[in-house]
Amino acid sequence: INTKNGLPSAVELVDLSTGQALSKVQTDEDGFYLVTLPLGKDYLFNVNRKGYLFYSGNFPFSQKTPDSTYQIDIPLQPIEMNANIILKNIFFESNAYNLKTESASELDILVQLLNENPALKIQINGHTDNIGKAADNMTLSNNRAKAVVTYITSKGIAPARLTFKGFGASKPIADNASEEGRAQNRRTELQVTGN
């Protein structure tokens, strides 16, 4: 059941450049957690709880000024058919489908989710912005989604549990008129197809 009640969850912060976990703690019973982050690094922020899809967050603090403050309400989705999340820490080379090394931390969290839920089946969906030819974007998004699946199967997850699909620029979640909007549209999503 989707509610706005607080959920005690595990929270992990990872330095994306090194893949090193900087902190891994449990929230309080109401789901609250406070942390101070050093500037100059980019962080993966991961929240998970058994029976739910993990939350994928990203803090690009290499560009932030001191005393930046964030308060984020994080909705966790139960693992159920068609539930989906955006994987915010999967990165590709520009205009290519080569996974950047900074993607490994998030991909390994995804592998862990699949290992902990052996009946779970997922589809990886790739999306682009609207720059360039539509056919090229469709191919690029499909190849990016396939690259994620290839990584997951290389870690021992059965291929039968995984599918992938590219949507090009056909399903934007933001306005393509700005770079900020286009960045949101360039995304990789996980969708539950069986559990």
Side-chain angles (χ1 to χ4, degrees):
I1 297 174
N2 291 306
T3 74
K4 293 189 176 180
N5 295 337
L7 283 171
S9 305
V11 177
E12 182 177 28
L13 283 162
V14 175
D15 179 341
L16 277 171
S17 65
T18 65
Q20 181 179 358
L22 301 177
S23 95
K24 191 166 188 175
V25 299
Q26 191 77 17
T27 67
D28 68 17
E29 283 302 305
D30 295 317
F32 288 108
Y33 172 62
L34 177 67
V35 65
T36 302
L37 297 175
L39 293 176
K41 295 179 182 292
D42 295 332
Y43 298 99
L44 172 153
F45 179 67
N46 170 257
V47 182
N48 66 74
R49 177 181 168 88
K50 188 172 177 61
Y52 291 79
L53 294 177
F54 62 86
Y55 172 84
S56 168
N58 176 271
F59 290 122
F61 276 15
S62 58
Q63 309 298 324
K64 294 294 180 185
T65 56
D67 300 323
S68 297
T69 305
Y70 297 87
Q71 179 175 333
I72 304 174
D73 292 326
I74 297 168
L76 293 181
Q77 295 191 65
I79 296 174
E80 56 191 14
M81 282 294 291
N82 296 317
N84 67 80
I85 56 172
I86 298 174
L87 301 168
K88 295 180 182 174
N89 294 288
I90 293 184
F91 310 102
F92 297 93
E93 298 293 343
S94 180
N95 234 1
Y97 53 90
N98 310 79
L99 284 161
K100 289 188 171 182
T101 56
E102 296 95 321
S103 306
S105 295
E106 179 120 308
L107 290 166
D108 290 341
I109 291 168
L110 179 48
V111 170
Q112 181 181 337
L113 174 75
L114 289 159
N115 280 327
E116 291 175 351
N117 298 275
L120 179 61
K121 295 182 178 179
I122 63 169
Q123 178 167 295
I124 299 297
N125 297 325
H127 301 269
T128 68
D129 58 28
N130 68 348
I131 303 298
K133 295 180 181 177
D136 291 344
N137 285 334
M138 196 66 74
T139 299
L140 179 62
S141 63
N142 196 67
N143 284 339
R144 284 180 168 180
K146 182 180 180 180
V148 171
V149 167
T150 298
Y151 181 97
I152 295 168
T153 55
S154 77
K155 299 295 183 177
I157 301 298
R161 299 175 63 191
L162 308 166
T163 54
F164 62 90
K165 186 171 184 179
F167 291 90
S170 66
K171 294 191 173 188
I173 57 172
D175 192 337
N176 274 304
S178 70
E179 175 49 36
E180 183 180 343
R182 290 192 294 272
Q184 290 182 58
N185 291 332
R186 297 189 297 267
R187 67 196 190 276
T188 304
E189 294 178 339
L190 175 162
Q191 179 180 356
V192 175
T193 57
N195 65 337

